[in-house]
Amino acid sequence: MTTHKFPQQPLTIDRNNVTEKSLKQNNLKKISVLALTITTLFTASCFSEPSKNQQQAKNNVTNHVKKETPIYSRTAIHHPVWAENGMVASQEALATQVGVDILKQGGNAIDAAVAVGYALAVTLPRAGNIGGGGFMVIYLAAEKRSIAIDYREMAPSKAHRDMYLDEHGNAISRLSRFHGLATGIPGTVMGMQLALEKYGTMTKEQVIEPAIKLAREGIKVSPDLAGSLAAMNKRLRRWPSTYDVFYKKGGVNYAANETLFQPELAHSLTLIKQHGTDGFYKGETAKKISEAVINAGGLITLEDMASYKAVERETVKGTYRGYDVVSMPPPSSGGVHIVQMLNALEQFPIKEMGHNSADTVHVMTEVMRRAYADRSHYLGDPDFANVPASALGSKVYGKQIAANIDRNKATPSSEISPNKKLPYESNETTQYSIVDKWGNAVSNTYTLNFSYGSGLVAKGTGIL
């Protein structure tokens, strides 16, 4: 196996050469997209000395790209990585390696995705999690079928419309961000276990153990993690239970290459390994989460924890210049509007306009502004709102959007949306993409919402 790591870069990609069989070319035509991430962009070449099999794979792809404009250049600053039998792309190197190891052991993309999800809870605490939630898109190559798993956090049963307002009806932003009321019922563990049990091939013990080992034996603090924790010192010191986990005695910051041990998180992960979802949503862990949230002014009860369910949904599907696009449906807004934007962009000669040219950036910006205007008006939780996903993602509507764009002039915001400021998109979410030697693929996005979530670690659990 060859590993390419780029220190202090936001993306780490490893390759897994387990057998001599290469991925079938037709699987490269399936694009799995989630929250503006197109996973096939990561399947490209590194320029090291190739083995015989690697050279053949390279020749196969070279023959293919002769017919199409390549997505990489030998003169580029960053070189992509070739792989014959699988690929794991995540934000953190240790978690990426966990996924590669699972593939090498014979696991499929779903097994690796679950293992990476648990590992990121240890190695990327600001966004990786078991105390948050997210979305997973799975593509099963043998069945040519895609599945969407919705495991976003849910509001507690006692939540109400005005819980973030003062007596005058004004929003108190602190309550919805850094307070017990900001915490929803976590969905990550239920989502990971649902994916593993229905579509994986390995046991929960096999996929969780690597994360337990990292938490118990400690991880070397990367420069990125050291800088992140130092920047959050002031905010996280509000919670003694959090401070005790992520800072040394007296609140001193960890330096790069020092070792961070997380024994309480290792214990919480062990309970999941032993008891499955009951090890998180019932018993010791559920009790500690409920107590911590209620003591911080929140509403999550033991009954709320026990009643949480992840949901399988139909994926959003579209096409773009001959490629299939598969993505996450509502309550995620990403998939619907990716299809909407691609339908509109399909009306413009992007190839002739040129990559990153002023014309292309202008058109993409105009298309995205209109999609975000629709997002603010139409998108919501399908359990409570009627989301016109089919209409938003129709080719007819895409043509209408394109027809209203002036190629030479920016449209005033007042003509696009009643809001003069377009919605803010958080940058604390983490995404990872995995494909195995059989062509199965997973695109997963999960989050704590803000960096390190509300900032609260449930005492005795290690869980943000």
Side-chain angles (χ1 to χ4, degrees), residues 267-417:
H267 177 65
S268 297
L269 289 165
T270 299
L271 292 176
I272 300 169
K273 184 181 83 167
Q274 293 172 343
H275 307 292
T277 54
D278 283 354
F280 183 86
Y281 293 95
K282 298 178 182 178
E284 176 186 335
T285 299
K287 182 179 180 182
K288 288 178 178 177
I289 289 175
S290 175
E291 287 177 350
V293 171
I294 289 174
N295 289 339
L299 302 170
I300 295 177
T301 65
L302 284 172
E303 292 74 21
D304 289 328
M305 290 291 292
S307 65
Y308 181 88
K309 292 288 185 294
V311 180
E312 283 196 43
R313 302 187 187 277
E314 289 289 324
T315 54
V316 168
K317 296 182 177 69
T319 62
Y320 181 72
R321 304 185 195 272
Y323 286 88
D324 293 324
V325 181
V326 179
S327 191
M328 192 72 201
S332 169
S333 63
V336 170
H337 293 301
I338 285 173
V339 172
Q340 177 185 356
M341 290 185 285
L342 291 176
N343 285 340
L345 289 171
E346 202 169 35
Q347 312 308 313
F348 296 95
I350 301 296
K351 182 178 179 179
E352 287 74 19
M353 290 160 64
H355 172 65
N356 266 355
S357 68
D359 286 344
T360 298
V361 172
H362 169 68
V363 167
M364 293 182 73
T365 301
E366 289 290 291
V367 167
M368 290 178 181
R369 294 172 72 200
R370 286 160 174 78
Y372 265 70
D374 283 344
R375 177 182 186 265
S376 68
H377 185 74
Y378 293 112
L379 263 288
D381 188 332
D383 291 341
F384 302 96
N386 182 21
V387 181
S390 296
L392 291 170
S394 71
K395 294 289 186 183
V396 171
Y397 187 46
K399 291 179 179 179
Q400 291 176 1
I401 292 173
N404 290 324
I405 292 175
D406 188 333
R407 292 273 297 272
N408 301 306
K409 180 181 178 183
T411 308
S413 293
S414 60
E415 297 178 16
I416 296 175
S417 168

